[in-house]
Amino acid sequence: MIGRAHMRAMATSAALAAGVLLAGCNAEQMGMVGEKATRPIPDKLLAEIEAKNMDKGSPMLVRLFKQESELEVWKQDRTGRYALLKTYPICRWSGDLGPKVKEGDRQAPEGFYSIGPGQMNPNSGYYLSFNTGFPNAYDRAWNRSGSQLMVHGDCSSRGCYAMTDEQISEIYSLARESFFGGSTSFQFQAYPFRMTAENFARHRNNPNMAFWKMIKQGNDAFEVTKQDVKVSFCEKKYVFDAERAPGATRDPVFNASAKCPAYSVPEDVAQAIQEKQRADELKTAQLVTRGTPIARARTGIDGGMHPVFASKLPDGDAAIDKDVTDYTVSANSSAPGTVPGYATLPLPKASSDAPATAVASSNSNAPIAGATTPTSRAVLANANASASASDTAPQSGGFFSKLKESMGFRTAEAKPAETPDSAKPEAKSPAHKPKVEAKTASGKSTVEKSTDSAQTKAAEEKAAPTRVIALDGKKSQTQAKSDDGSVFPQPVAPPAPTTASAQPALSGSAPTVSGNSFDSRWSLR
């Protein structure tokens, strides 16, 4: 068995490396894409991995919190339990607190997803990225639609979670080494906020509360076990850590839209979770009784940005929610990475439309981001509009798929094709994004299409380089980019699951994820 695991890890490594080289041949500058995707884990982070009794190839897990704008990377230590490796401040996310409901609502997804090698994109138009796998079986059971929901670089978002390029480079390298170590996937848990009693008291009137209480069960399962949470779906709800019921002769079979089968939860896990839930509910009730104020309305505010970035931008203090105090990364810390000059703050429209000028910040000696204008905000609004079919449509029969199957990897279940709200781009953009054609490992061509309708404006945008501002003490750089942009409607509150009150205290199985293959991951996004 050890030999088989070693061979599977070698096959994964070979497929990833070969795919990157093939993808690099289609880039404007050969080798640049391969360099990004194969960049090693920084020495400082490797030292931290060793200090925390971990291996660089051990399994990893990602947890993300919108309100706090923070992303956590956990890795399995040598005792077999997960421990927190590093917390990354999120540079920008879009929409509001709450799950994604439909294509074009600008919402970043919430829930539990599984990320496999086929969802890693070394050729992303936003430095590097991985696909969250939205929609999963739960989302599809509620007819929720959306595509190209990523975690990527470039600090610009329209339904994604955007990091700086430096941050996504680290996260990507950690995931790559985890796959090289033998992992076939890593779990991605996305929450509206940290699942604390204080936050549930502050958001007690939010229409998404039933959904949040449901996914909190998965959060609590991870908190008490520090293990991957087994996720299943039935009766249009999540179930966590489900296993064969006593006396049953086979494992339960789950269907997101069907009645839940008989199942059980390990007794020790169930008891620990129930105790945590009772304590949290009691504390929430006490906080409400003491008059904990309801979270302020976010009317007209699109998404969020971590204070470590916002505090160093012009007018950035106005974008920080002063009621949120449980940030792991301090706003006075050195900002990790570079922020494009077109990045915008999550401010109400009346405030954000006023031109801003570059000013020095007392919190950092690093250079500060330049002016943000209505034009630059429009560019950001649709910065992710174009993406290749490789992130959504699986391809089969190629070299990497055959290699994967021959070495014993499980083939991801093909996901039914989605039909977006509209076959055309969600909005016209003022900036031109040129067509780029590349061939996948299976020989198919993919084309990144422009969503532009204003050619004159496009020429002007293309001629002027985009300012990229270093926030970590490095010298400012100039980088040419072509981005699309448009204004999207505010997110619509999703319907709360109607079966939440009837669901068992605990429940679970592996989520259904995007059926991306080894071939499809190497196309341009």
Side-chain angles (χ1 to χ4, degrees):
M1 291 188 66
I2 295 176
R4 189 186 313 170
H6 180 66
M7 289 296 294
R8 292 175 66 182
M10 289 180 63
T12 305
S13 302
L16 288 169
V20 167
L21 292 175
L22 289 175
C25 294
N26 294 315
E28 289 185 14
Q29 296 180 351
M30 291 183 60
M32 292 300 291
V33 172
E35 179 188 359
K36 290 188 297 183
T38 59
R39 189 163 294 165
I41 298 174
D43 291 341
K44 182 178 179 181
L45 189 55
L46 281 174
E48 198 166 344
I49 289 172
E50 181 62 33
K52 293 186 176 182
N53 196 33
M54 302 168 177
D55 297 309
K56 74 174 184 178
S58 66
M60 66 177 274
L61 181 147
V62 172
R63 284 157 52 91
L64 183 149
F65 308 95
K66 281 184 179 177
Q67 176 181 270
E68 294 80 10
S69 295
E70 291 183 339
L71 181 152
E72 298 176 344
V73 172
W74 294 64
K75 281 185 70 67
Q76 197 175 77
D77 63 22
R78 290 166 186 151
T79 70
R81 289 168 61 88
Y82 280 93
L84 179 62
L85 173 62
K86 186 170 181 178
T87 300
Y88 295 87
I90 298 173
C91 196
R92 198 71 166 88
W93 57 272
S94 60
D96 199 353
L97 304 184
K100 184 171 185 64
V101 177
K102 63 181 181 180
E103 186 94 24
D105 62 5
R106 291 188 61 81
Q107 284 292 96
E110 295 174 7
F112 286 69
Y113 300 88
S114 182
I115 316 300
Q119 289 158 262
M120 307 297 292
N121 189 354
N123 277 325
S124 172
Y126 304 97
Y127 198 77
L128 292 168
S129 68
F130 64 82
N131 193 315
T132 63
F134 178 93
N136 62 18
Y138 171 86
D139 302 317
R140 293 195 297 273
W142 284 95
N143 296 317
R144 294 177 176 176
S145 61
S147 58
Q148 317 295 343
L149 282 305
M150 307 282 171
V151 176
H152 59 68
D154 204 42
C155 192
S156 60
S157 172
R158 57 171 280 277
C160 297
Y161 295 105
M163 318 299 292
T164 62
D165 291 353
E166 292 84 350
Q167 288 176 309
I168 194 63
S169 178
E170 276 194 14
I171 297 168
Y172 193 99
S173 66
L174 288 168
R176 183 195 65 229
E177 294 302 325
S178 176
F179 293 137
F180 285 177
S183 297
T184 57
S185 66
F186 66 88
Q187 192 167 78
F188 178 73
Q189 305 175 6
Y191 299 101
F193 40 69
R194 296 187 185 278
M195 302 272 99
T196 63
E198 291 80 4
N199 280 328
F200 274 89
R202 292 182 66 229
H203 295 279
R204 56 188 178 272
N205 291 340
N206 194 290
N208 296 299
M209 185 53 67
F211 173 75
W212 292 342
K213 286 183 176 180
M214 178 175 62
I215 63 173
K216 182 181 183 293
Q217 296 179 37
N219 170 83
D220 294 346
F222 177 76
E223 292 284 354
V224 302
T225 66
K226 294 300 188 292
Q227 300 289 342
D228 282 302
V229 182
K230 185 180 180 183
V231 185
S232 293
F233 312 94
C234 59
E235 297 178 8
K236 294 187 175 182
K237 64 184 179 184
Y238 279 85
V239 273
F240 299 100
D241 288 333
E243 62 181 19
R244 183 182 302 181
T249 58
R250 61 176 185 173
D251 293 333
V253 178
F254 288 89
N255 183 305
S257 300
K259 182 179 179 180
C260 291
Y263 67 90
S264 65
V265 175
E267 185 176 352
D268 56 338
V269 175
Q271 182 176 352
I273 294 174
Q274 289 171 358
E275 290 176 358
K276 182 181 186 306
Q277 289 176 337
R278 281 196 293 266
D280 289 346
E281 290 168 0
L282 176 60
K283 187 174 181 180
T284 299
Q286 292 173 340
L287 290 168
V288 172
T289 302
R290 295 170 187 169
T292 297
I294 295 174
R296 66 173 182 170
R298 292 176 49 87
T299 305
I301 300 176
D302 177 33
M305 172 183 278
H306 194 280
V308 75
F309 299 113
S311 63
K312 296 171 177 61
L313 299 178
D315 298 333
D317 287 341
I320 300 173
D321 187 349
K322 304 300 191 298
D323 295 331
V324 181
T325 58
D326 54 346
Y327 295 108
T328 299
V329 180
S330 170
N332 293 325
S333 303
S334 176
T338 57
V339 178
Y342 52 77
T344 59
L345 291 163
L347 289 169
K349 186 175 181 181
S351 299
S352 62
D353 278 350
T357 56
V359 295
S361 169
S362 59
N363 294 331
S364 172
N365 294 324
I368 307 301
T372 56
T373 66
T375 299
S376 65
R377 273 185 294 277
V379 171
L380 173 62
N382 198 26
N384 303 335
S386 296
S388 72
S390 65
D391 290 317
T392 54
Q395 302 174 16
S396 60
F399 171 76
F400 293 112
S401 293
K402 291 182 174 61
L403 174 62
K404 179 183 175 183
E405 293 172 3
S406 67
M407 298 310 299
F409 284 101
R410 295 181 181 177
T411 301
E413 179 183 358
K415 185 173 68 175
E418 292 183 49
T419 302
D421 290 2
S422 171
K424 63 183 179 180
E426 295 172 347
K428 296 294 183 181
S429 67
H432 173 65
K433 193 162 189 175
K435 294 183 180 181
V436 179
E437 181 171 351
K439 289 187 178 180
T440 64
S442 59
K444 296 183 180 181
S445 294
T446 59
V447 178
E448 183 171 311
K449 297 181 179 179
S450 168
T451 57
D452 176 34
S453 64
Q455 299 296 329
T456 302
K457 181 66 177 177
E460 296 175 357
E461 296 266 350
K462 186 175 181 180
T466 299
R467 291 183 61 199
V468 177
I469 310 303
L471 293 183
D472 58 355
K474 298 180 181 178
K475 187 176 180 180
S476 299
Q477 306 171 24
T478 298
Q479 169 179 314
K481 287 180 178 288
S482 56
D483 301 273
D484 347 338
S486 60
V487 178
F488 287 81
Q490 289 299 313
V492 179
T498 57
T499 58
S501 60
Q503 69 185 37
L506 294 170
S507 28
S509 159
T512 302
V513 298
S514 172
N516 295 311
S517 70
F518 269 48
D519 306 297
S520 64
R521 58 192 279 214
W522 307 120
S523 300
L524 291 175
R525 175 172 182 265

